[in-house]
Amino acid sequence: MGGLAPTLEAFFTERLIRQRQASPNTISAYRDTLRMLLCFAAKRTAKQPSELEVGDLDASLIGAFLDHLERERGNGVRTRNARLAAIRSLFRFASLRHPEHAAVIERVLAIPPKRFERNLVTFLDEEELAALLAAPDRSTWTGRRDRAMLMLAAQTGLRASELTGLRCADVQLGRGAHVSCLGKGRKRRITPLTSATVAVLRVWLAERGGEAEEPLFPTRRGGRLSRDALERRLAKHVATAALTRPSLAEKKVTVHVLRHSAAMRLLEAGVDTSVIALWLGHEQIGTTQIYLHANLAIKERALARTTPPGAKPGRYRPSDANLAFLDEL
């Protein structure tokens, strides 16, 4: 057995699970990345994965692996950078156990992430959101469950894992109604609920009738909904809602888009970005700035405040289609 194998095992059992208490999603992502890397390295070095040494995974091999992800596996830059982050985490851990490979490890840690263009976030406006919440068939058990689940997601901005991980005991509908969830980084977060959401959840909990530790939104068999099942249910209701709001058909709506929608509604209501960051459970306030870039209404209000005295505020519209075409060249 090579020197990498015990380090790899300790990385998962000691660093990720015991010390950092990483979430199952993080462990799965790191596991998949390192499994692909070991298989790639085994082909390049003609060694079995269990025989690999830390020195076999030098910067040139890691660079070739990252190129392989993009060119042959069709991964985007974001995925490529996430894979690199997992590799760098392993090598930072290995640097404490293998000082003899310090030069190799240092070169790997020096590999920079790739730059990429940041697209504006997708979110739903009030009419699109209303159509989505009206889409579930409330004459069925699953329809009533889905409506309560989507309404909670759109109001609180919970992540998919946070939403599916909710227990009946996590919802408090009395005075100071709120939902409590275990978020990213094992941080518990409390989010207040509106009266409309409270009314829907109260009806759902009365029908649900589960024990405190049981899932708030279970499957028909009483188990916890998977992320894939949640996304499939959402896609089904988006397709239904698109019949009345065609603009929904042009958007790729995921649970994270509902999270973006919650943030944009708070932003449009004048809530400070630092409060929105706490609401969403962001590690850094800077992460919340993406919503400022995506909100055209806020930019137009800022422009209106800087309009010279006597000037009529408003958005520029060309007087002629031909002139507009020429202006755009």
Side-chain angles (χ1 to χ4, degrees):
M1 181 178 292
L4 179 62
T7 300
L8 184 65
E9 182 177 341
F11 172 67
F12 280 95
T13 57
E14 294 180 17
R15 174 60 61 86
L16 293 184
I17 297 176
R18 186 169 61 84
Q19 296 176 4
R20 292 183 54 187
Q21 296 184 331
S23 69
N25 289 338
T26 298
I27 293 173
S28 296
Y30 279 34
R31 176 203 64 201
D32 294 343
T33 296
L34 297 176
R35 177 185 291 169
M36 287 188 290
L37 174 61
L38 293 184
C39 292
F40 180 83
K43 291 181 180 179
R44 294 279 295 240
T45 61
K47 291 183 178 181
Q48 292 296 319
S50 58
E51 299 173 348
L52 291 170
E53 300 286 345
V54 174
D56 293 325
L57 306 182
D58 57 16
S60 62
L61 187 142
I62 300 299
F65 172 68
L66 296 174
D67 290 340
H68 163 76
L69 292 178
E70 290 189 82
R71 296 176 183 175
E72 298 181 34
R73 295 186 63 89
N75 289 170
V77 176
R78 289 176 182 269
T79 303
R80 181 257 191 204
N81 288 347
R83 303 294 190 197
L84 176 59
I87 294 169
R88 292 173 68 174
S89 183
L90 170 65
F91 272 72
R92 280 193 293 271
F93 179 74
S95 66
L96 303 175
R97 302 169 66 98
H98 296 279
E100 70 277 13
H101 295 298
V104 172
I105 293 172
E106 183 179 358
R107 292 189 185 97
V108 170
L109 292 178
I111 299 175
K114 258 191 175 182
R115 290 179 175 271
F116 57 91
E117 294 184 2
R118 296 183 180 271
N119 297 324
L120 293 178
V121 297
T122 301
F123 63 95
L124 306 185
D125 59 31
E126 292 295 334
E127 290 77 14
E128 291 169 337
L129 190 55
L132 176 60
L133 295 179
D137 182 2
R138 279 177 274 176
S139 66
T140 65
W141 182 87
T142 54
R144 293 189 292 273
R145 177 201 65 189
D146 291 355
R147 181 170 182 268
M149 183 168 58
L150 294 179
M151 192 165 189
L152 181 63
Q155 192 249 292
T156 60
L158 294 181
R159 299 179 178 91
S161 59
E162 295 168 349
L163 193 62
T164 57
L166 288 177
R167 307 163 302 162
C168 294
D170 292 330
V171 177
Q172 301 296 324
L173 301 181
R175 188 173 182 179
H178 64 271
V179 61
S180 174
C181 72
L182 188 62
K184 208 170 184 180
R186 299 282 179 178
K187 293 180 180 177
R188 186 153 292 278
R189 187 168 83 256
I190 294 177
T191 308
L193 300 175
T194 64
S195 57
T197 304
V198 168
V200 171
L201 287 176
R202 182 171 283 121
V203 172
W204 167 246
L205 278 173
E207 180 177 3
R208 167 73 177 84
E211 297 294 332
E213 297 301 315
E214 291 181 344
L216 178 62
F217 301 115
T219 63
R220 283 189 172 276
R221 296 181 178 180
R224 195 178 300 280
L225 271 176
S226 68
R227 185 191 184 101
D228 289 342
L230 174 59
E231 294 289 1
R232 284 196 300 270
R233 298 301 299 174
L234 175 58
K236 176 180 182 295
H237 299 312
V238 168
T240 302
L243 298 177
T244 56
R245 295 296 301 179
S247 58
L248 282 169
E250 301 171 3
K251 296 181 178 181
K252 183 180 179 182
V253 182
T254 64
V255 176
H256 219 69
V257 169
L258 297 183
R259 179 173 167 83
H260 293 327
S261 303
M264 294 301 286
R265 294 173 79 188
L266 291 171
L267 193 61
E268 289 171 357
V271 179
D272 188 81
T273 54
S274 60
V275 177
I276 298 175
L278 290 173
W279 186 289
L280 298 178
H282 284 162
E283 283 279 352
Q284 300 176 347
I285 295 178
T287 307
T288 315
Q289 300 302 316
I290 60 173
Y291 302 114
L292 286 172
H293 291 295
N295 194 310
L296 181 60
I298 289 178
K299 295 176 183 177
E300 288 182 335
R301 288 198 295 268
L303 180 62
R305 294 192 186 102
T306 60
T307 301
K312 184 178 180 180
R315 191 185 302 177
Y316 168 74
R317 290 179 174 81
S319 58
D320 184 89
N322 286 335
L323 293 179
F325 166 74
L326 294 174
D327 289 340
E328 291 175 357
L329 293 177

Short mmCIF file of all heavy atoms in Angstrom, two decimals, residues 127-166:
data_model
loop_
_atom_site.label_atom_id
_atom_site.label_comp_id
_atom_site.label_asym_id
_atom_site.label_seq_id
_atom_site.Cartn_x
_atom_site.Cartn_y
_atom_site.Cartn_z
N GLU A 127 -45.78 37.91 -9.93
CA GLU A 127 -46.78 37.19 -10.72
C GLU A 127 -46.35 35.75 -10.99
O GLU A 127 -47.16 34.81 -10.92
CB GLU A 127 -47.04 37.92 -12.05
CG GLU A 127 -47.76 39.25 -11.91
CD GLU A 127 -46.84 40.36 -11.43
OE1 GLU A 127 -45.61 40.16 -11.46
OE2 GLU A 127 -47.37 41.41 -11.01
N GLU A 128 -45.07 35.56 -11.29
CA GLU A 128 -44.56 34.21 -11.54
C GLU A 128 -44.62 33.36 -10.27
O GLU A 128 -44.99 32.18 -10.32
CB GLU A 128 -43.12 34.29 -12.06
CG GLU A 128 -43.01 34.88 -13.45
CD GLU A 128 -41.58 35.19 -13.85
OE1 GLU A 128 -40.74 35.35 -12.94
OE2 GLU A 128 -41.30 35.27 -15.06
N LEU A 129 -44.29 33.97 -9.15
CA LEU A 129 -44.31 33.24 -7.89
C LEU A 129 -45.75 32.86 -7.51
O LEU A 129 -46.00 31.74 -7.05
CB LEU A 129 -43.69 34.09 -6.79
CG LEU A 129 -43.42 33.40 -5.46
CD1 LEU A 129 -42.56 32.15 -5.64
CD2 LEU A 129 -42.75 34.36 -4.48
N ALA A 130 -46.68 33.78 -7.74
CA ALA A 130 -48.08 33.48 -7.44
C ALA A 130 -48.58 32.33 -8.30
O ALA A 130 -49.32 31.45 -7.83
CB ALA A 130 -48.93 34.73 -7.66
N ALA A 131 -48.18 32.31 -9.57
CA ALA A 131 -48.60 31.23 -10.46
C ALA A 131 -48.01 29.90 -10.02
O ALA A 131 -48.68 28.85 -10.08
CB ALA A 131 -48.17 31.55 -11.90
N LEU A 132 -46.77 29.91 -9.56
CA LEU A 132 -46.13 28.68 -9.10
C LEU A 132 -46.82 28.13 -7.85
O LEU A 132 -47.07 26.93 -7.75
CB LEU A 132 -44.66 28.94 -8.82
CG LEU A 132 -43.86 27.76 -8.24
CD1 LEU A 132 -43.88 26.58 -9.19
CD2 LEU A 132 -42.43 28.18 -7.95
N LEU A 133 -47.14 29.01 -6.91
CA LEU A 133 -47.77 28.55 -5.68
C LEU A 133 -49.20 28.07 -5.90
O LEU A 133 -49.74 27.29 -5.11
CB LEU A 133 -47.77 29.67 -4.64
CG LEU A 133 -46.38 30.12 -4.15
CD1 LEU A 133 -46.50 31.25 -3.15
CD2 LEU A 133 -45.62 28.96 -3.54
N ALA A 134 -49.82 28.53 -7.00
CA ALA A 134 -51.18 28.08 -7.32
C ALA A 134 -51.18 26.80 -8.14
O ALA A 134 -52.25 26.21 -8.35
CB ALA A 134 -51.91 29.18 -8.09
N ALA A 135 -50.01 26.35 -8.60
CA ALA A 135 -49.93 25.20 -9.49
C ALA A 135 -50.24 23.86 -8.83
O ALA A 135 -50.92 23.01 -9.43
CB ALA A 135 -48.56 25.15 -10.16
N PRO A 136 -49.78 23.57 -7.61
CA PRO A 136 -50.08 22.26 -7.00
C PRO A 136 -51.57 22.01 -6.85
O PRO A 136 -52.33 22.93 -6.53
CB PRO A 136 -49.38 22.34 -5.62
CG PRO A 136 -48.31 23.36 -5.79
CD PRO A 136 -48.87 24.37 -6.73
N ASP A 137 -51.97 20.78 -7.10
CA ASP A 137 -53.38 20.39 -6.99
C ASP A 137 -53.72 20.17 -5.52
O ASP A 137 -53.35 19.16 -4.92
CB ASP A 137 -53.62 19.11 -7.79
CG ASP A 137 -55.08 18.68 -7.76
OD1 ASP A 137 -55.90 19.39 -7.16
OD2 ASP A 137 -55.37 17.62 -8.35
N ARG A 138 -54.46 21.11 -4.93
CA ARG A 138 -54.74 21.04 -3.50
C ARG A 138 -55.83 20.03 -3.14
O ARG A 138 -56.17 19.86 -1.97
CB ARG A 138 -55.10 22.42 -2.97
CG ARG A 138 -53.87 23.28 -2.69
CD ARG A 138 -54.24 24.66 -2.25
NE ARG A 138 -54.47 25.54 -3.38
CZ ARG A 138 -54.89 26.81 -3.26
NH1 ARG A 138 -55.11 27.31 -2.06
NH2 ARG A 138 -55.08 27.55 -4.32
N SER A 139 -56.37 19.34 -4.14
CA SER A 139 -57.32 18.27 -3.84
C SER A 139 -56.61 16.97 -3.52
O SER A 139 -57.25 15.99 -3.11
CB SER A 139 -58.27 18.06 -5.03
OG SER A 139 -57.55 17.57 -6.16
N THR A 140 -55.26 16.95 -3.67
CA THR A 140 -54.48 15.75 -3.37
C THR A 140 -53.55 16.01 -2.19
O THR A 140 -53.18 17.16 -1.92
CB THR A 140 -53.63 15.32 -4.59
OG1 THR A 140 -52.64 16.33 -4.86
CG2 THR A 140 -54.51 15.15 -5.82
N TRP A 141 -53.13 14.93 -1.52
CA TRP A 141 -52.22 15.05 -0.39
C TRP A 141 -50.88 15.61 -0.82
O TRP A 141 -50.32 16.50 -0.17
CB TRP A 141 -52.04 13.67 0.25
CG TRP A 141 -51.16 13.66 1.46
CD1 TRP A 141 -51.53 13.90 2.75
CD2 TRP A 141 -49.75 13.41 1.50
NE1 TRP A 141 -50.45 13.81 3.59
CE2 TRP A 141 -49.33 13.51 2.85
CE3 TRP A 141 -48.80 13.10 0.52
CZ2 TRP A 141 -48.02 13.31 3.23
CZ3 TRP A 141 -47.49 12.91 0.90
CH2 TRP A 141 -47.09 13.02 2.25
N THR A 142 -50.34 15.09 -1.93
CA THR A 142 -49.04 15.58 -2.40
C THR A 142 -49.11 17.03 -2.85
O THR A 142 -48.16 17.79 -2.67
CB THR A 142 -48.52 14.71 -3.57
OG1 THR A 142 -49.52 14.65 -4.59
CG2 THR A 142 -48.18 13.31 -3.10
N GLY A 143 -50.25 17.43 -3.43
CA GLY A 143 -50.40 18.82 -3.84
C GLY A 143 -50.40 19.77 -2.66
O GLY A 143 -49.78 20.84 -2.70
N ARG A 144 -51.10 19.38 -1.59
CA ARG A 144 -51.11 20.23 -0.38
C ARG A 144 -49.74 20.28 0.27
O ARG A 144 -49.31 21.32 0.76
CB ARG A 144 -52.17 19.71 0.59
CG ARG A 144 -53.60 19.87 0.07
CD ARG A 144 -54.63 19.55 1.15
NE ARG A 144 -54.64 18.14 1.50
CZ ARG A 144 -55.34 17.20 0.88
NH1 ARG A 144 -56.08 17.53 -0.18
NH2 ARG A 144 -55.31 15.95 1.28
N ARG A 145 -49.05 19.13 0.28
CA ARG A 145 -47.69 19.11 0.81
C ARG A 145 -46.78 20.02 -0.01
O ARG A 145 -46.01 20.83 0.54
CB ARG A 145 -47.13 17.68 0.78
CG ARG A 145 -45.69 17.56 1.26
CD ARG A 145 -45.04 16.30 0.74
NE ARG A 145 -44.92 16.32 -0.72
CZ ARG A 145 -44.55 15.28 -1.45
NH1 ARG A 145 -44.28 14.12 -0.86
NH2 ARG A 145 -44.47 15.38 -2.76
N ASP A 146 -46.85 19.90 -1.33
CA ASP A 146 -45.97 20.67 -2.21
C ASP A 146 -46.23 22.17 -2.10
O ASP A 146 -45.30 22.97 -2.11
CB ASP A 146 -46.13 20.22 -3.66
CG ASP A 146 -45.59 18.83 -3.90
OD1 ASP A 146 -45.00 18.25 -2.96
OD2 ASP A 146 -45.75 18.30 -5.02
N ARG A 147 -47.50 22.56 -1.98
CA ARG A 147 -47.80 23.99 -1.86
C ARG A 147 -47.21 24.55 -0.58
O ARG A 147 -46.60 25.63 -0.57
CB ARG A 147 -49.30 24.24 -1.88
CG ARG A 147 -49.65 25.73 -1.78
CD ARG A 147 -51.12 25.97 -2.04
NE ARG A 147 -51.42 27.39 -1.99
CZ ARG A 147 -51.81 28.05 -0.90
NH1 ARG A 147 -51.97 27.38 0.24
NH2 ARG A 147 -52.06 29.34 -0.94
N ALA A 148 -47.37 23.83 0.53
CA ALA A 148 -46.79 24.30 1.79
C ALA A 148 -45.27 24.36 1.70
O ALA A 148 -44.64 25.31 2.19
CB ALA A 148 -47.22 23.36 2.92
N MET A 149 -44.67 23.37 1.06
CA MET A 149 -43.22 23.30 0.93
C MET A 149 -42.69 24.44 0.06
O MET A 149 -41.71 25.11 0.41
CB MET A 149 -42.83 21.94 0.35
CG MET A 149 -41.36 21.69 0.22
SD MET A 149 -41.03 19.95 -0.14
CE MET A 149 -41.96 19.72 -1.66
N LEU A 150 -43.33 24.70 -1.08
CA LEU A 150 -42.88 25.76 -1.98
C LEU A 150 -43.10 27.14 -1.36
O LEU A 150 -42.27 28.04 -1.54
CB LEU A 150 -43.60 25.65 -3.32
CG LEU A 150 -43.31 24.40 -4.15
CD1 LEU A 150 -44.11 24.42 -5.44
CD2 LEU A 150 -41.82 24.28 -4.44
N MET A 151 -44.20 27.30 -0.65
CA MET A 151 -44.45 28.59 -0.01
C MET A 151 -43.41 28.88 1.07
O MET A 151 -42.91 30.00 1.18
CB MET A 151 -45.85 28.60 0.60
CG MET A 151 -46.32 29.98 1.02
SD MET A 151 -48.09 30.00 1.31
CE MET A 151 -48.35 31.77 1.53
N LEU A 152 -43.05 27.85 1.83
CA LEU A 152 -42.03 28.02 2.85
C LEU A 152 -40.68 28.35 2.21
O LEU A 152 -39.95 29.23 2.68
CB LEU A 152 -41.92 26.76 3.70
CG LEU A 152 -40.90 26.78 4.84
CD1 LEU A 152 -41.27 27.84 5.86
CD2 LEU A 152 -40.78 25.42 5.49
N ALA A 153 -40.34 27.65 1.13
CA ALA A 153 -39.07 27.89 0.44
C ALA A 153 -38.99 29.29 -0.13
O ALA A 153 -37.97 29.98 -0.02
CB ALA A 153 -38.88 26.85 -0.66
N ALA A 154 -40.08 29.75 -0.75
CA ALA A 154 -40.09 31.06 -1.39
C ALA A 154 -40.04 32.19 -0.36
O ALA A 154 -39.51 33.27 -0.64
CB ALA A 154 -41.32 31.21 -2.27
N GLN A 155 -40.59 31.97 0.83
CA GLN A 155 -40.61 33.03 1.84
C GLN A 155 -39.32 33.07 2.66
O GLN A 155 -38.81 34.14 3.00
CB GLN A 155 -41.81 32.86 2.76
CG GLN A 155 -42.06 34.07 3.66
CD GLN A 155 -41.78 33.79 5.13
OE1 GLN A 155 -42.49 33.01 5.74
NE2 GLN A 155 -40.74 34.40 5.69
N THR A 156 -38.77 31.91 2.98
CA THR A 156 -37.61 31.86 3.87
C THR A 156 -36.29 31.81 3.12
O THR A 156 -35.25 32.16 3.68
CB THR A 156 -37.70 30.63 4.78
OG1 THR A 156 -37.72 29.45 3.97
CG2 THR A 156 -38.94 30.68 5.64
N GLY A 157 -36.29 31.32 1.87
CA GLY A 157 -35.03 31.19 1.14
C GLY A 157 -34.17 30.04 1.62
O GLY A 157 -32.95 30.08 1.47
N LEU A 158 -34.78 29.01 2.19
CA LEU A 158 -34.01 27.85 2.64
C LEU A 158 -33.36 27.14 1.47
O LEU A 158 -33.93 27.07 0.37
CB LEU A 158 -34.91 26.87 3.40
CG LEU A 158 -35.51 27.34 4.73
CD1 LEU A 158 -36.35 26.22 5.32
CD2 LEU A 158 -34.44 27.77 5.70
N ARG A 159 -32.18 26.58 1.70
CA ARG A 159 -31.54 25.73 0.70
C ARG A 159 -32.30 24.41 0.58
O ARG A 159 -33.07 24.05 1.47
CB ARG A 159 -30.09 25.45 1.09
CG ARG A 159 -29.20 26.69 1.21
CD ARG A 159 -27.80 26.30 1.63
NE ARG A 159 -26.90 27.44 1.71
CZ ARG A 159 -26.70 28.17 2.81
NH1 ARG A 159 -27.35 27.87 3.92
NH2 ARG A 159 -25.86 29.19 2.80
N ALA A 160 -32.06 23.69 -0.51
CA ALA A 160 -32.76 22.42 -0.74
C ALA A 160 -32.50 21.44 0.40
O ALA A 160 -33.42 20.80 0.91
CB ALA A 160 -32.33 21.81 -2.07
N SER A 161 -31.24 21.33 0.85
CA SER A 161 -30.91 20.40 1.93
C SER A 161 -31.55 20.82 3.25
O SER A 161 -31.95 19.99 4.06
CB SER A 161 -29.39 20.30 2.09
OG SER A 161 -28.83 21.56 2.39
N GLU A 162 -31.65 22.14 3.46
CA GLU A 162 -32.29 22.65 4.68
C GLU A 162 -33.78 22.36 4.66
O GLU A 162 -34.38 22.02 5.68
CB GLU A 162 -32.03 24.15 4.81
CG GLU A 162 -30.56 24.50 5.00
CD GLU A 162 -30.26 25.97 4.84
OE1 GLU A 162 -31.14 26.71 4.37
OE2 GLU A 162 -29.14 26.40 5.17
N LEU A 163 -34.38 22.49 3.48
CA LEU A 163 -35.82 22.28 3.34
C LEU A 163 -36.19 20.81 3.57
O LEU A 163 -37.12 20.50 4.31
CB LEU A 163 -36.27 22.74 1.96
CG LEU A 163 -37.77 22.89 1.71
CD1 LEU A 163 -38.36 23.96 2.61
CD2 LEU A 163 -38.02 23.25 0.24
N THR A 164 -35.45 19.92 2.92
CA THR A 164 -35.76 18.50 3.07
C THR A 164 -35.36 17.97 4.44
O THR A 164 -35.87 16.93 4.87
CB THR A 164 -35.03 17.67 1.99
OG1 THR A 164 -33.61 17.90 2.08
CG2 THR A 164 -35.50 18.06 0.59
N GLY A 165 -34.47 18.67 5.14
CA GLY A 165 -34.02 18.23 6.46
C GLY A 165 -34.90 18.70 7.60
O GLY A 165 -34.66 18.34 8.75
N LEU A 166 -35.93 19.50 7.31
CA LEU A 166 -36.79 20.02 8.37
C LEU A 166 -37.58 18.91 9.05
O LEU A 166 -38.08 17.99 8.40
CB LEU A 166 -37.76 21.06 7.80
CG LEU A 166 -37.18 22.41 7.40
CD1 LEU A 166 -38.26 23.27 6.79
CD2 LEU A 166 -36.54 23.12 8.60
#
